[in-house]
């Protein structure tokens, strides 16, 4: 084993980190090797100087400053929860008012448009009636239906509401019972 | 001996009963109790951060972040035993994150090297020696610097360092031996000493 192989063990030994069984073998080698003795003394000296270099006390003002900053941050962190509740509550109330405000009214800008086929494609309601009428059991009287309803199928009415925001268009779809 | 006494002051071990009670109270939202905990460990955190980062401003920023993380994670931190280890680990991680965000420069001063070359026999002043040793710490990699700070300056055992850094004891021993050799070589070259 040459001196280069001992280097790692000597570095651990200098800081008191070598296991006792390994330290015994190293000490035998050190007794015979001047080069490794010099390495050990150099390592111990640099460790001593390192500890001296970092032994300067830190001023109390630095700790006080950190404490102040931490507690300022913690105090700031405590308020937003209540502020958020207050703000969100106000926001919810404002939204409710807005929804009430944009309710379709007669004087608002409402354009009743003929629904496009894709919007108003409704299942053919007369089918059940037709079937019912065609297969009306003999033993039961068919229920009387209003003539207007029987004659005119219910078509859904689509009301397109334009708002002040061009990106917001409200479609209000309802059944038209006939006016 | 002064350095060792300072080390003993810097790192309170485990948690006393009073500290454990303070931690419990802090978990319940008692800020005064949290301040008690902070006062007990602020020196350990700030000094470690200062040694890892090299300047007070960054160390203060790091310490602030460490204690804010402590407050947010009080429920996860054990009240005793490994509390210091948790704090060391968070301090190292925060300093590592800060180190990544800023440009790391090794303060190699050619003027200092030239003066040593002019008069290699002159003994360096204490301030000069301290400057060189600080430089030698800065020229290590982040991991090597962390193990040297925790082991050689904070006085943790290699096992405690391994737990704080989340690595194995064998890795820590390897890193610390390499780091010590590097620092010694740097100092030797700087003062023109030859083996």
């Amino acid at each position: 084993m040459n001196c280069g192989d001992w280097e790692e063990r000597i570095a651990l030994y200098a800081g008191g980190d070598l296991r006792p069984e390994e330290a015994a073998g190293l000490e035998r080698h050190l007794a015979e090797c001047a080069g490794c003795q010099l390495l050990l003394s150099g390592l111990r000296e640099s460790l001593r100087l390192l500890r001296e270099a970092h032994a300067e006390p830190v001023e109390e003002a630095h700790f006080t400053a950190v404490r102040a900053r931490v507690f300022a941050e913690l105090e700031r962190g405590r308020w937003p929860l209540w502020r958020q509740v207050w703000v969100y509550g106000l926001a919810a109330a404002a939204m409710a008012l807005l929804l009430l405000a944009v309710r379709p009214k007669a004087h608002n800008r409402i354009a009743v448009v003929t629904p496009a086929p894709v919007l108003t494609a409704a299942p053919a309601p007369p089918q059940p009636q037709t079937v019912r009428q065609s297969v009306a059991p003999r033993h039961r009287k068919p229920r009387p239906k209003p003539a207007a309803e029987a004659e005119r199928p219910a078509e859904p009415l689509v009301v397109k509401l334009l708002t002040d925001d061009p990106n917001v268009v409200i479609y209000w779809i309802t059944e038209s019972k006939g006016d | 001996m002064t350095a060792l006494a300072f080390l003993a002051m810097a790192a309170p071990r485990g948690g006393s009963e009073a500290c454990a009670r303070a931690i419990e109270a802090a978990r319940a939202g008692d800020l005064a109790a949290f301040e008690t905990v902070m006062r007990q460990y602020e020196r350990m955190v700030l000094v470690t951060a200062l040694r890892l980062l090299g300047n007070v401003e960054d160390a203060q920023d790091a310490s602030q972040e460490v204690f804010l993380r402590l407050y947010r994670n009080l429920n996860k931190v054990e009240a005793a035993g490994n509390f210091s280890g948790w704090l060391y680990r968070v301090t190292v991680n925060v300093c590592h994150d800060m180190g990544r965000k800023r440009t790391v420069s090794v303060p190699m001063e050619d003027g200092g090297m030239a003066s040593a070359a002019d008069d290699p026999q002159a003994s360096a002043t204490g301030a000069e020696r301290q400057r060189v040793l600080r430089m030698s710490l800065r020229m290590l990699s982040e991991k090597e610097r962390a193990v040297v700070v925790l082991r050689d300056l904070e006085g943790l055992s290699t096992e405690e360092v391994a737990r704080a850094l989340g690595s194995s004891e064998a890795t820590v021993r390897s890193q610390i031996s390499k780091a010590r050799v590097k620092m010694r070589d740097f100092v030797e070259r700087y003062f023109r000493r030859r083996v």
Side-chain angles (χ1 to χ4, degrees):
Chain A
M1 203 171 182
N2 57 35
C3 290
D5 298 328
W6 290 101
E7 188 176 74
E8 183 174 327
R9 295 188 197 191
I10 293 171
L12 290 171
Y13 185 75
D17 295 312
L18 200 62
R19 296 192 182 91
E21 58 274 17
E22 291 176 308
L26 175 61
E27 283 162 2
R28 282 195 295 273
H29 172 75
L30 286 171
E32 300 166 353
C33 180
C36 287
Q37 287 176 15
L38 199 56
L39 173 61
L40 176 61
S41 69
L43 284 164
R44 283 177 167 163
E45 178 69 4
S46 68
L47 274 178
R48 185 185 67 79
L49 292 172
L50 179 71
R51 288 170 180 148
E52 267 184 20
H54 289 87
E56 291 175 4
V58 179
E59 292 177 12
E60 190 60 34
H62 296 309
F63 301 108
T64 305
V66 172
R67 250 182 274 130
R69 286 160 59 170
V70 168
F71 283 98
E73 193 64 34
L74 291 179
E75 286 293 334
R76 253 199 308 275
R78 286 185 153 199
W79 280 109
L81 177 64
W82 299 102
R83 284 181 188 163
Q84 286 176 8
V85 168
W86 187 65
V87 168
Y88 289 155
L90 276 184
M95 185 64 70
L97 285 175
L98 180 65
L99 286 174
L100 286 173
V102 297
R103 251 187 340 180
K105 291 178 184 174
H107 62 274
N108 283 358
R109 291 193 297 155
I110 298 176
V112 179
V113 298
T114 303
V118 65
L119 289 174
T120 60
Q127 289 281 349
Q129 295 179 7
T130 306
V131 171
R132 199 175 296 143
Q133 290 173 358
S134 64
V135 296
R138 293 182 201 168
H139 306 292
R140 288 193 339 186
K141 278 187 181 175
R143 291 181 188 175
K145 294 218 184 280
E149 189 177 340
E151 292 172 4
R152 183 168 49 179
E155 292 183 357
L157 173 66
V158 176
V159 177
K160 180 178 178 181
L161 307 175
L162 303 177
T163 64
D164 290 337
D165 186 355
N167 295 320
V168 178
V169 177
I170 302 172
Y171 287 96
W172 184 21
I173 304 172
T174 183
E175 285 187 5
S176 172
K177 302 289 184 184
D179 300 347
Chain B
M1 295 302 108
T2 306
L4 290 176
F6 180 72
L7 287 173
M9 280 165 46
R13 291 285 179 269
S16 62
E17 282 191 17
C19 183
R21 282 197 299 273
I23 292 171
E24 283 298 322
R27 282 181 190 160
D30 186 347
L31 279 184
F34 183 71
E35 184 176 357
T36 303
V37 175
M38 225 184 128
R39 283 180 180 270
Q40 175 137 7
Y41 291 95
E42 62 186 0
R43 188 167 294 274
M44 180 187 92
V45 170
L46 182 60
V47 168
T48 302
L50 179 58
R51 289 164 175 172
L52 288 171
L53 294 170
N55 70 84
V56 170
E57 290 75 24
D58 288 348
Q60 284 182 324
D61 291 343
S63 299
Q64 178 187 347
E65 179 60 27
V66 168
F67 284 109
L68 288 175
R69 288 192 191 187
L70 171 63
Y71 187 79
R72 289 193 286 263
N73 292 283
L74 276 171
N75 290 327
K76 301 176 188 174
V77 175
E78 295 174 12
N82 203 26
F83 190 73
S84 300
W86 188 92
L87 274 178
Y88 274 124
R89 185 165 193 170
V90 173
T91 303
V92 170
N93 288 341
V94 167
C95 291
H96 172 72
D97 293 342
M98 286 184 68
R100 286 171 63 185
K101 289 179 185 174
R102 62 191 179 107
T103 304
V104 177
S105 62
V106 177
M108 301 295 290
E109 299 179 21
D110 291 333
M113 296 284 280
S115 65
D118 292 342
D119 191 3
Q121 299 301 323
S123 58
T125 62
E128 176 76 3
R129 280 208 305 270
Q130 289 193 2
R131 190 175 65 85
V132 170
L133 263 297
R134 288 200 190 99
M135 284 164 56
S136 70
L137 191 61
R138 303 250 62 79
M139 53 84 76
L140 297 175
S141 70
E142 278 201 44
K143 289 183 180 176
E144 288 171 342
R145 191 182 315 130
V147 295
V148 167
V149 166
L150 293 183
R151 173 70 191 101
D152 293 334
L153 296 178
E154 291 294 311
L156 274 67
S157 67
T158 51
E159 184 187 349
E160 288 170 328
V161 173
R163 265 207 307 269
L165 298 181
S167 59
S168 69
E169 196 174 345
T171 301
V172 167
R173 289 160 59 83
S174 173
Q175 286 171 336
I176 203 164
S177 66
K178 290 189 174 73
R180 286 171 181 165
V181 170
K182 279 188 189 176
M183 291 172 61
R184 174 257 179 188
D185 289 347
F186 178 83
V187 172
E188 295 273 310
R189 279 200 309 273
Y190 190 89
F191 292 113
R192 293 251 173 193
R193 287 171 55 186
R194 293 288 182 265
V195 177

